[in-house]
Structure formats: structure tokens, C-alpha cells
Amino acid sequence: MLIENVKIPEGASGPWAVQRFIVSKQEAEMERLRSIFSGGRGVPEGEYTRLVRGGTVVMSDTPDEKRDHYEAVRRATGNVLINGLGLGMVVRAALNKPGVNRITVVELDKNVISLVAPHYADARVEIVNANAFDYQPPKGVRYDAVWHDIWDHITADNLPEMTRLKRKYSRRSDWQGCWCEYQCRRTLNR
């Protein structure tokens, strides 16, 4: 199973932008050293894409981010719900899997939808402009996998919202996961 680098074009809508960026060999080495001492995440040399809101990087297609989404893609089968569109990396990887029949993506921001959604046009994909906490799936719909990815940063502050979302969808799903939940829980013990 492969999670690919994002191939959507650069662009901007409102405060959001899709941007390409290059990490040089020297920058990669500095990132690696910084991550060793700070417990952060290093970025290897290469060309990547990021989704930025204002000055905040919300998502990228760096190797660490791909690993963060691996379990969601591995579990994707049948009817899938994704809360948070981001760069569409999980959508693309799920579309490439046999057995994924339908993907519903709930995205709060219309600007993200206008930047990203057109690049994942597929009869199996439905993009819904709604808040993940307020969205009501159609009556009788059940999801084989639900992935929650609505947070900008890895912090224990996300845990109450993760619990709330998992409770909301618990009776409608066979499996659920949240972006970086394990790492958020680890920050409690620091």
C-alpha cells in the first residue's frame, strides 16, 4: 500500500494555500539534529507539498505525515468517512485500494474544498462542507472505517475532541482512528 506525494497544483483561496517546498540536504541534516534534541519530526531531503493557513503549516506530504496516515489507509475498505480533507492524501490512497466503494469527506472550510477537492473528482467521493462535530450521516449509513484528521498540531489538547468524535461515530463504524492520537497521549507524560 502506497501513500503517494500530493500532485495537486499550487494555489490559494482565502487564507489557505497549497505550496511546494524543497528541503535541501543541509536543511534535512539540521532538521534531523533538531528532531533528536527536541523530540520533534525531521524531514529528509526532497520536494514536498504543504497546506498552509496564514503562516501555519496544517499538513504536508512528508514521510512522517504519510506514516501518520498509514493505519487509516490500511483500514480503508467499503464505505469510508474522513473528517478533514487536508491535501487529500488519504482520499487518493483510499481510492487506489480495491474494495473501497465510497468515501465521504467532511471538510469545514470552503476554501480548502475549492483548492483541493476538484483534484479528487471520482464517482466514489462525496465532499461535504460541514463541521465534523455537527455532521449527521444519512439515516442507516454505516462506515467500515472512519478517520478523524482535523487538528493542526500534535498536542494533548486534541484528546477531548478525539474522544468526542470517536463517541459520535462509535455506533456507525467498524473502525475509527485519529491523526496522531498516540503521539498526543505521549505528550501527557512529558
Side-chain angles (χ1 to χ4, degrees):
M1 171 185 53
L2 179 65
I3 300 177
E4 302 171 348
N5 280 7
V6 174
K7 294 179 176 77
I8 63 176
E10 291 184 297
S13 182
W16 294 88
V18 172
Q19 304 170 338
R20 297 273 186 283
F21 67 103
I22 295 173
V23 176
S24 69
K25 187 174 183 175
Q26 182 180 8
E27 289 168 325
E29 182 59 24
M30 291 300 294
E31 281 291 313
R32 188 184 71 75
L33 291 172
R34 190 176 302 124
S35 71
I36 289 170
F37 292 109
S38 69
R41 298 150 58 101
V43 180
E45 178 182 8
E47 183 176 336
Y48 304 101
T49 302
R50 62 186 166 211
L51 179 64
V52 178
R53 183 185 63 245
T56 301
V57 175
V58 175
M59 182 183 184
S60 67
D61 61 358
T62 59
D64 280 336
E65 286 258 6
K66 288 178 184 179
R67 273 189 294 279
D68 294 343
H69 298 289
Y70 180 82
E71 188 65 12
V73 174
R74 189 180 80 76
R75 298 282 193 144
T77 188
N79 192 15
V80 177
L81 173 70
I82 301 169
N83 282 315
L85 176 59
L87 288 168
M89 196 164 53
V90 174
V91 174
R92 171 60 56 223
L95 283 170
N96 289 337
K97 284 188 70 178
V100 172
N101 304 320
R102 180 144 182 85
I103 301 170
T104 303
V105 180
V106 177
E107 172 54 52
L108 177 64
D109 199 292
K110 289 181 181 181
N111 291 299
V112 172
I113 292 170
S114 70
L115 272 174
V116 178
H119 307 287
Y120 299 102
D122 186 290
R124 296 173 290 163
V125 178
E126 176 188 16
I127 308 288
V128 178
N129 180 215
N131 184 311
F133 297 101
D134 300 331
Y135 175 69
Q136 292 300 318
K139 189 173 182 170
V141 170
R142 182 163 186 82
Y143 301 102
D144 297 285
V146 177
W147 182 241
H148 308 291
D149 182 11
I150 62 170
W151 303 277
D152 292 354
H153 304 289
I154 300 170
T155 171
D157 295 342
N158 299 340
L159 293 171
E161 288 184 343
M162 290 177 178
T163 299
R164 187 172 157 206
L165 282 171
K166 287 167 90 175
R167 281 188 185 139
K168 175 180 175 67
Y169 294 99
S170 65
R171 292 190 178 147
R172 289 185 169 261
S173 63
D174 296 332
W175 176 85
Q176 292 186 74
C178 297
W179 174 74
C180 286
E181 182 176 11
Y182 173 76
Q183 292 90 330
C184 291
R185 291 193 185 288
R186 283 186 50 207
T187 64
L188 287 173
N189 300 323
R190 287 186 186 164

